[in-house]
Amino acid sequence: MAQQRRVQLSTQRPTSTVCVLGTELSLDLCGSAPKDAVAFHVQGTPGVKLYVVHETQSIKLPSSVGRWPLAAGTEVLLAMDALSKDVGDEKVGAGVPAGPNPSLGGGRHLRLIAEVSLDADISRCGAVSKTLLDKTTWTWGPEGHGAILLVNCDRDDPDAEMPDNRDAAICSYADVDFGDADKVGVFYGGNSTTLEEYKHVLGGSKLSYALKPSRHLEESIFYVEGLAFPDVGFSGLVAFHVTLLESPEKGLLETPIFTDTVVFRMAPWIMTPNTLAPLEVFVCSVDDNEDFVTAVGALAEKAKSPGGLPSASPSLLQDEVEFGYVQAPHKTFPVVFDSPRDRGLKDFPVRSILGPDFGYVARQAAEAASNLDSFGNLEVSPPVTVQGKEFPLGRILIGSSFPRFGGRRMAKAVKDFLVAQQVQAPVELFSDWLQVGHVDEFLSFVPAPDRKGFRLLLASPSACYQLLKEKQEEGFGEAAMFQGLEGVPKPTITEILANEELRKFNYYAQ
């Protein structure tokens, strides 16, 4: 349905207004007519389309009907479907029959401008275009529609200390796509093609920007960057509005006569499963693992994957960072998620990973981080279908405690962030029975050529007891565990099998 604006007629003099393509003007006949008027006539120049609403029906104005009854609810609608050639070249005249009643005003001059439209990549084709799709709504899926906005969380300036969403400058055209003030930044350069001349016009404390029309500028291009991922209190949806204001008579306020709206959704952070082919291998170099680093490097070289070798105190890269990505039709880039449990690799993600087209996101625990905040406690399945519902990006798995007082849980800030992304619906699993408590200690996904295309490897305490029993029967009962480690007990297989308290706990965990 076209936007409609009601305009007041004057009995004193002709006035002018603006009609926007795709909208209707409703002439207020009853409110403008003389007190004793009972009928009216109306006519327009060829470029104007006129309709009379009479007895709730809209009728295109026929030339054969000269008069219409001026009854309550009667109105005249007018629209235009082509541009005017000049200001005021299209007119509408309305009046009452000649006689004792005065005229219902002279001509009402219409000034038609080009269609006012706020356009983005609504159809997700990778380019801005006009579309008949509803720009004010956003729907998920391959058949959905709505513009996607990437969070500008990479770092194009190698001298900068933090990601690009912490500043108000453009360093690269790739930072932003065409297109809640603290969630977005909008830049405008007018006719300039030089990035340095683009200025920050919306976002933060800047809630509006006035764009003055020009006879020679048919289109104005704005560049939009996302500043924040979906999270608690932010669904990821942001709306932009363009409003056409009619210049008033001197001393009066401008009048809004047309508004167009477009809705964007921030692209979610998407976690990648370990069943995908590796692109790069990272391994920690510590005091006593030189042989291990060498072996991993040789394997990476054989697999043609580049290797990173950060130095750190004893820590696991898997616990410090998790790799994922963001994606829109025009661009995809990886984003590293930094765990709130900072240990020896605290500065590694920002120092060694964040860079051009490699983003960074982090969440901090409100209280002291626990073992369950390490990202060994964060896994994602390959694509699955659960009870008829498809999860084409898999489901995130996080370890947790039974819902009882005193158990460890992942930091609320991290869990809330994962839930807010929506596309990988997290599942909590009981992992607090383990000393460390990470979900990756008892499950892993591996590729497989058939069925779902993967297998879930699941640790089994019962299977372990069965294996230990077999080894005992084979004569290895006195074999001690943890040989070579200092400061830890070294029970034998027979002692482990004889520990009834340990056996009961493991059966409970099973």
Side-chain angles (χ1 to χ4, degrees):
M1 180 180 294
Q3 290 191 22
Q4 189 181 98
R5 180 165 54 98
R6 195 169 182 83
V7 294
Q8 190 76 28
L9 295 174
S10 171
T11 59
Q12 304 299 321
R13 64 183 185 277
T15 56
S16 65
T17 189
V18 177
C19 181
V20 181
L21 283 176
T23 68
E24 295 176 342
L25 297 181
S26 171
L27 303 184
D28 182 13
L29 294 174
C30 294
S32 306
K35 181 178 179 181
D36 298 328
V38 295
F40 71 93
H41 63 83
V42 62
Q43 61 185 25
T45 50
V48 181
K49 298 170 66 175
L50 292 170
Y51 300 85
V52 174
V53 179
H54 180 62
E55 295 181 351
T56 72
Q57 292 187 343
S58 178
I59 305 170
K60 187 173 182 180
L61 188 69
S63 58
S64 59
V65 179
R67 299 182 184 180
W68 292 86
L70 191 62
T74 299
E75 62 178 333
V76 172
L77 302 179
L78 61 92
M80 303 178 73
D81 54 12
L83 297 178
S84 321
K85 294 182 176 61
D86 200 0
V87 174
D89 64 347
E90 302 291 355
K91 300 178 177 64
V92 171
V96 298
N101 298 321
S103 170
L104 179 63
R108 184 163 186 83
H109 304 288
L110 303 180
R111 181 161 51 96
L112 184 69
I113 67 170
E115 181 180 5
V116 178
S117 179
L118 187 60
D119 299 312
D121 183 12
I122 309 300
S123 58
R124 303 174 189 165
C125 64
V128 176
S129 60
K130 295 184 182 297
T131 177
L132 297 177
L133 295 172
D134 183 1
K135 296 182 287 187
T136 64
T137 60
W138 203 100
T139 55
W140 293 99
E143 304 303 320
H145 72 274
I148 299 172
L149 189 58
L150 294 178
V151 177
N152 186 20
C153 59
D154 65 342
R155 180 175 60 188
D156 288 308
D157 183 356
D159 296 327
E161 295 184 356
M162 296 305 295
D164 292 342
N165 57 348
R166 308 286 180 88
D167 61 34
I170 291 183
C171 295
S172 166
Y173 280 114
D175 274 352
V176 285
D177 58 315
F178 295 143
D180 331 0
D182 61 337
K183 305 297 190 298
V184 293
V186 180
F187 300 82
Y188 180 59
N191 294 322
S192 175
T193 58
T194 304
L195 287 176
E196 289 75 13
E197 295 183 15
Y198 278 68
K199 60 181 180 179
H200 182 245
V201 297
L202 287 176
S205 61
K206 300 175 181 178
L207 303 180
S208 64
Y209 176 72
L211 182 66
K212 295 182 179 180
S214 169
R215 285 181 175 270
H216 307 292
L217 185 60
E218 296 182 355
E219 183 179 58
S220 296
I221 297 177
F222 291 83
Y223 294 87
V224 188
E225 66 173 355
L227 302 179
F229 283 96
D231 210 331
V232 173
F234 176 47
S235 68
L237 294 174
V238 291
F240 293 92
H241 313 276
V242 59
T243 299
L244 178 66
L245 300 176
E246 188 171 36
S247 298
E249 296 181 12
K250 189 174 181 180
L252 298 178
L253 295 175
E254 293 177 315
T255 304
I257 61 176
F258 176 80
T259 296
D260 198 16
T261 298
V262 64
V263 171
F264 288 80
R265 181 181 287 278
M266 299 294 181
W269 179 78
I270 302 171
M271 186 174 165
T272 51
N274 65 294
T275 51
L276 294 179
L279 297 178
E280 190 168 3
V281 176
F282 294 89
V283 58
C284 279
S285 176
V286 293
D287 292 338
D288 56 356
N289 75 335
E290 182 178 348
D291 292 343
F292 174 72
V293 171
T294 301
V296 171
L299 183 62
E301 175 64 26
K302 185 177 180 180
K304 302 301 181 184
S305 295
L309 301 174
S311 298
S313 60
S315 183
L316 294 174
L317 270 169
Q318 168 71 359
D319 286 341
E320 180 62 39
V321 297
E322 191 66 59
F323 290 105
Y325 66 98
V326 293
Q327 185 173 53
H330 71 286
K331 187 179 180 66
T332 301
F333 63 89
V335 176
V336 62
F337 189 10
D338 190 0
S339 162
R341 192 161 189 254
D342 294 322
R343 299 170 73 187
L345 294 166
K346 177 181 178 180
D347 298 324
F348 170 67
V350 172
R351 186 184 69 246
S352 302
I353 300 180
L354 174 63
D357 288 339
F358 208 126
Y360 171 88
V361 63
R363 289 295 180 270
Q364 298 301 320
E367 300 176 353
S370 75
N371 256 351
L372 269 60
D373 294 319
S374 295
F375 282 171
N377 194 36
L378 180 60
E379 293 292 322
V380 66
S381 78
V384 291
T385 299
V386 182
Q387 298 180 348
K389 183 175 181 180
E390 294 184 359
F391 293 88
L393 299 170
R395 297 194 71 174
I396 285 176
L397 308 175
I398 57 177
S400 188
S401 65
F402 260 179
R404 61 180 174 82
F405 180 77
R408 296 174 297 174
R409 289 182 177 274
M410 178 176 281
K412 185 176 184 300
V414 175
K415 182 184 172 184
D416 287 346
F417 173 82
L418 297 172
V419 171
Q421 307 313 303
Q422 297 192 45
V423 292
Q424 293 179 305
V427 179
E428 287 187 89
L429 303 176
F430 178 38
S431 67
D432 200 27
W433 57 277
L434 290 161
Q435 180 172 343
V436 175
H438 294 177
V439 71
D440 71 350
E441 294 179 76
F442 65 89
L443 65 80
S444 181
F445 296 93
V446 295
D450 61 346
R451 294 165 58 183
K452 292 180 179 292
F454 66 89
R455 293 286 190 276
L456 168 61
L457 304 184
L458 191 63
S460 169
S462 295
C464 180
Y465 269 95
Q466 182 180 349
L467 178 63
L468 292 177
K469 183 65 175 175
E470 291 175 359
K471 295 295 117 181
Q472 184 187 49
E473 293 174 351
E474 293 173 5
F476 298 101
E478 298 308 308
M481 308 290 285
F482 311 123
Q483 294 187 53
L485 296 181
E486 298 180 359
V488 297
K490 297 177 177 58
T492 65
I493 290 178
T494 297
E495 289 172 339
I496 291 174
L497 292 175
N499 188 330
E500 286 301 318
E501 184 178 353
L502 180 63
R503 183 187 294 269
K504 288 179 181 179
F505 182 81
N506 276 282
Y507 280 163
Y508 166 73
Q510 178 75 40

